[in-house]
Amino acid sequence: MSRILRVAAAQSGPIQKADSRPAVVARMIGLLDEAAARKCDLVVFTELALTTFFPRWLMTEQAEIDAFFEREMPNAATRPLFERAAAHGIAMSFGYAELTADGRRFNTAILTGRDGRIVGKYRKVHLPGHSEFDPARSFQHLEKRYFEPGDLGFPVWRALGGILGMCICNDRRWPETWRVLGLQGAELVVLGFNTPAVNSQKAEEGPEQRMFQHRLSLQAGAYQNSTWVVATAKCGVEDGHPLMGGTMIVNPDGEIVAEAKTLEDELVVADCDLDLTRFGKQTVFDFARHRRPEHYSRITSQTGVILPPEE
Amino acid sequence: MSRILRVAAAQSGPIQKADSRPAVVARMIGLLDEAAARKCDLVVFTELALTTFFPRWLMTEQAEIDAFFEREMPNAATRPLFERAAAHGIAMSFGYAELTADGRRFNTAILTGRDGRIVGKYRKVHLPGHSEFDPARSFQHLEKRYFEPGDLGFPVWRALGGILGMCICNDRRWPETWRVLGLQGAELVVLGFNTPAVNSQKAEEGPEQRMFQHRLSLQAGAYQNSTWVVATAKCGVEDGHPLMGGTMIVNPDGEIVAEAKTLEDELVVADCDLDLTRFGKQTVFDFARHRRPEHYSRITSQTGVILPPEE
């Protein structure tokens, strides 16, 4: 049986603070319709796909914060998206700010089957940034304030004839993310990201260097675990703050096979043959033959750096 | 105090089976002299720097195998190299096949101080290839036959005013290598490699793709741990078998700052400011703030892939 999935990374142009959920969902439905016309099996939307990237602001009013969170999924605003996906028979993934019934807050992504039902949920583990206002930064990145770290680990799901995993944005820079997914046989990993085009702590680090490091992280994760990677940006200028693009699909050799051309809503499509993951998994990255966990203990036994003793 | 080290990656052209140890050491001394003239602090030679890459052959005569191994270091053949390095006040690293007094065999690298004394030893952990003759391959890669996996882990050393680590060849493709070094604060990681220019199991994978994956592994390791990387090839056609080049020095942002132009003996030099490692280690890769080992347990608790249950 062929295991070629036609996958669309559905890049999102900017979402302004003033944009309503229905307006955003309408844009997403437009991309779904285009994906259906192009016979896609899976559409990957971005991180925090329903709102502007709100962690750039310090907010102190709880109601103002809560307005960016979803209390259930689907909900009234997103139900039309789920219904359209089911009508097309297209699986999808997208991210949103999750507020649980018991008041916990996560940066979350879900995966749906072709019937529009949610089959998988992931909560972002590697929250970047900080939790208190930092006057030294050119803008804030308060993910550690508004979310707690994900509590679901890095699960994979049998879906669409393959083994799929999810991660979100900053998770892609951490080889631990990819390896934990790879150790479960992941064949296709999907993620969304909102990445500022400049470094808030290093003005000279602009979009070119940041795009290089974004590509590097995705390509290394794909190659070193022999998996497809589908990464979807929210990009363009949001409320005066530029987000870089870089939506792309990477093959299990680490090569970019499709890439966005704009900083707007744009579908990036590739046929992903899941069987192309096999060669790498059976040769250079045959973990069972080559890994040596007896020498990896620091990776799980310590969190931060432990310097060697002074001489 | 300035922590800028001038480092030379001393690429080795091919070493034929017929080449004697003294002839090889003379070439290495020539590169040391050139490095001294260029005021280098550290010279990084390659993996198995003293011989041809012998794991490409199945050998059954023990004496034939033993001829590629060193029983002590320094020994009669290599003592002139140590003496010249000490005379120049240059630290160095090189790899060799190690046969211990109790008959164990490792793919080893050492690090010397400016006085020519050995200050560090590393034994390759990730041995690629196989242990029995494989008729399906276009050539053999019998590292798992001739060596046992390293038993020293991935140590670091305080040397030359910084924190230095070593790995060897295939280790560079494994993010675990880099992370274990990074968790000890490594600021400069040195390695040598002998990488065939074609994949013995996939004829269509030639030097271009392999060079890309080599660069990708080095650049990701450097970026994700905010460390300098110095990688030195043995390259060119050895006994009819082409080895790719790709000697390079990578900065802590993952960018290549110097790269070899030939497939011959060649010095690749860069000034490596160890203080450039600080920004990454204190921000995006501040492990203490951002890592989540509670979700990494598979990395140390399992060796191979464990697939999710069938539905």
Side-chain angles (χ1 to χ4, degrees):
Chain A
M1 191 189 88
S2 159
R3 297 206 302 148
I4 300 175
L5 294 181
R6 183 163 292 175
V7 183
Q11 178 169 286
S12 172
I15 300 176
Q16 310 306 331
K17 201 172 185 175
D19 293 344
S20 70
R21 294 279 199 297
V24 173
V25 168
R27 284 165 58 186
M28 294 170 78
I29 288 175
L31 289 163
L32 261 187
D33 289 346
E34 183 186 342
R38 295 171 71 175
K39 300 191 189 308
C40 294
D41 300 293
L42 170 66
V43 174
V44 179
F45 294 101
T46 191
E47 175 195 33
L48 298 175
L50 304 174
T51 65
T52 193
F53 187 71
F54 61 88
R56 68 172 66 95
W57 297 300
L58 176 66
M59 298 177 283
T60 51
E61 294 293 322
Q62 194 59 49
E64 187 184 3
I65 297 168
D66 288 352
F68 292 106
F69 282 78
E70 316 299 321
R71 287 180 171 74
E72 52 181 5
M73 189 57 63
N75 54 26
T78 57
R79 195 158 289 117
L81 179 70
F82 284 76
E83 289 170 353
R84 187 67 62 95
H88 288 314
I90 293 180
M92 68 175 174
S93 174
F94 70 86
Y96 62 97
E98 178 188 11
L99 174 54
T100 70
D102 57 348
R104 302 177 68 187
R105 292 160 192 275
F106 298 99
N107 188 337
T108 295
I110 48 136
L111 176 69
T112 69
R114 291 186 189 274
D115 59 0
R117 285 171 199 257
I118 294 173
V119 297
K121 178 183 277 193
Y122 169 71
R123 290 167 169 164
K124 186 174 182 177
V125 165
H126 296 100
L127 298 172
H130 50 116
S131 56
E132 301 300 329
F133 184 82
D134 180 357
R137 292 176 186 247
S138 56
F139 53 90
Q140 303 297 297
H141 200 118
L142 290 160
E143 284 193 63
K144 285 192 198 288
R145 181 182 192 88
Y146 297 124
F147 303 111
E148 61 177 291
D151 61 347
L152 302 175
F154 297 98
V156 299
W157 296 272
R158 288 188 184 273
L160 302 171
I163 299 175
L164 274 59
M166 291 191 272
C167 65
I168 299 178
C169 194
N170 181 51
D171 285 322
R172 74 196 187 285
R173 304 188 193 273
W174 297 85
E176 292 91 342
T177 301
W178 302 101
R179 186 61 96 226
V180 173
L181 292 166
L183 282 164
Q184 298 169 86
E187 297 173 313
L188 186 130
V189 177
V190 306
L191 66 114
F193 61 98
N194 287 256
T195 300
V198 291
N199 188 324
S200 66
Q201 298 174 286
K202 193 180 187 183
E204 67 272 27
E205 184 186 302
E208 189 175 324
Q209 188 179 52
R210 290 167 73 78
M211 185 65 77
F212 157 69
Q213 291 169 341
H214 159 67
R215 285 198 185 100
L216 181 61
S217 299
L218 299 176
Q219 293 180 279
Y223 167 60
Q224 292 173 335
N225 296 280
S226 198
T227 181
W228 288 91
V229 173
V230 180
T232 304
K234 178 137 62 64
C235 53
V237 180
E238 274 194 353
D239 295 303
H241 291 82
L243 295 171
M244 67 175 211
T247 296
M248 64 184 67
I249 298 176
V250 181
N251 75 17
D253 286 323
E255 299 160 337
I256 297 167
V257 298
E259 201 166 7
K261 295 177 177 64
T262 74
L263 294 175
E264 300 293 336
D265 289 5
E266 177 185 348
L267 224 52
V268 175
V269 177
D271 287 334
C272 302
D273 183 349
L274 302 185
D275 288 335
L276 288 183
T277 64
R278 287 190 182 160
F279 182 77
K281 289 182 192 291
Q282 291 170 352
T283 60
V284 63
F285 295 114
D286 181 345
F287 295 160
R289 278 196 296 142
H290 300 310
R291 292 182 79 245
R292 288 281 156 191
E294 67 271 27
H295 296 305
Y296 306 158
S297 58
R298 287 180 187 274
I299 293 173
T300 48
S301 68
Q302 73 188 68
T303 302
V305 172
I306 298 178
L307 294 174
E310 298 277 353
E311 272 151 7
Chain B
M1 191 189 90
S2 159
R3 297 206 302 147
I4 301 175
L5 293 181
R6 183 164 292 175
V7 183
Q11 178 169 286
S12 172
I15 300 176
Q16 310 306 331
K17 201 172 185 175
D19 293 344
S20 69
R21 293 280 199 297
V24 173
V25 168
R27 284 164 57 185
M28 294 170 77
I29 289 175
L31 289 163
L32 261 188
D33 289 346
E34 183 186 341
R38 294 171 71 175
K39 299 191 188 310
C40 293
D41 300 293
L42 171 65
V43 174
V44 179
F45 294 102
T46 192
E47 175 196 32
L48 299 174
L50 305 173
T51 65
T52 193
F53 186 70
F54 61 87
R56 68 171 65 94
W57 297 299
L58 176 67
M59 298 178 283
T60 52
E61 295 293 321
Q62 195 59 49
E64 186 184 4
I65 298 168
D66 287 353
F68 292 105
F69 281 78
E70 316 297 321
R71 288 180 169 74
E72 52 180 6
M73 189 57 63
N75 54 26
T78 56
R79 194 159 291 115
L81 178 70
F82 284 76
E83 289 171 353
R84 187 67 62 95
H88 288 314
I90 293 179
M92 67 175 175
S93 174
F94 69 86
Y96 62 97
E98 177 188 12
L99 174 53
T100 70
D102 57 348
R104 301 177 69 186
R105 292 159 193 276
F106 299 99
N107 188 337
T108 296
I110 47 135
L111 176 68
T112 69
R114 292 186 189 273
D115 59 0
R117 286 172 199 256
I118 293 173
V119 296
K121 177 184 277 192
Y122 169 73
R123 290 167 168 164
K124 187 174 182 177
V125 165
H126 296 101
L127 297 172
H130 50 115
S131 56
E132 301 300 329
F133 184 82
D134 179 356
R137 291 176 187 247
S138 56
F139 53 90
Q140 304 297 298
H141 200 117
L142 290 159
E143 284 194 61
K144 285 192 198 289
R145 182 182 192 88
Y146 297 125
F147 303 110
E148 61 177 291
D151 61 347
L152 302 175
F154 297 97
V156 298
W157 296 272
R158 289 188 184 272
L160 302 171
I163 300 175
L164 274 58
M166 292 191 272
C167 65
I168 299 178
C169 194
N170 181 51
D171 284 321
R172 73 197 187 284
R173 303 187 194 274
W174 296 85
E176 292 91 342
T177 300
W178 301 101
R179 187 60 98 227
V180 173
L181 292 166
L183 282 165
Q184 299 169 84
E187 297 174 313
L188 187 135
V189 178
V190 306
L191 66 114
F193 60 97
N194 287 255
T195 300
V198 291
N199 188 324
S200 66
Q201 297 175 287
K202 193 180 186 183
E204 67 273 27
E205 185 187 301
E208 188 176 324
Q209 188 180 51
R210 290 167 74 76
M211 185 65 77
F212 157 70
Q213 292 169 341
H214 159 67
R215 285 198 185 99
L216 181 61
S217 299
L218 299 177
Q219 293 181 278
Y223 167 61
Q224 292 173 335
N225 296 279
S226 199
T227 181
W228 288 91
V229 173
V230 180
T232 304
K234 178 137 63 64
C235 53
V237 180
E238 274 195 353
D239 296 302
H241 290 82
L243 296 171
M244 68 175 210
T247 296
M248 64 184 67
I249 298 176
V250 182
N251 74 18
D253 285 322
E255 299 159 339
I256 297 166
V257 298
E259 201 166 8
K261 294 177 177 64
T262 73
L263 294 174
E264 300 293 336
D265 289 6
E266 177 185 349
L267 224 53
V268 174
V269 177
D271 288 335
C272 302
D273 184 348
L274 301 185
D275 288 335
L276 288 183
T277 64
R278 287 191 183 159
F279 182 77
K281 289 181 191 291
Q282 291 170 352
T283 60
V284 64
F285 295 115
D286 181 345
F287 296 160
R289 278 196 296 141
H290 300 311
R291 292 182 80 246
R292 289 281 156 190
E294 67 272 26
H295 296 304
Y296 306 157
S297 58
R298 287 180 187 273
I299 294 174
T300 48
S301 68
Q302 72 188 70
T303 301
V305 171
I306 297 178
L307 295 174
E310 298 277 352
E311 271 150 10

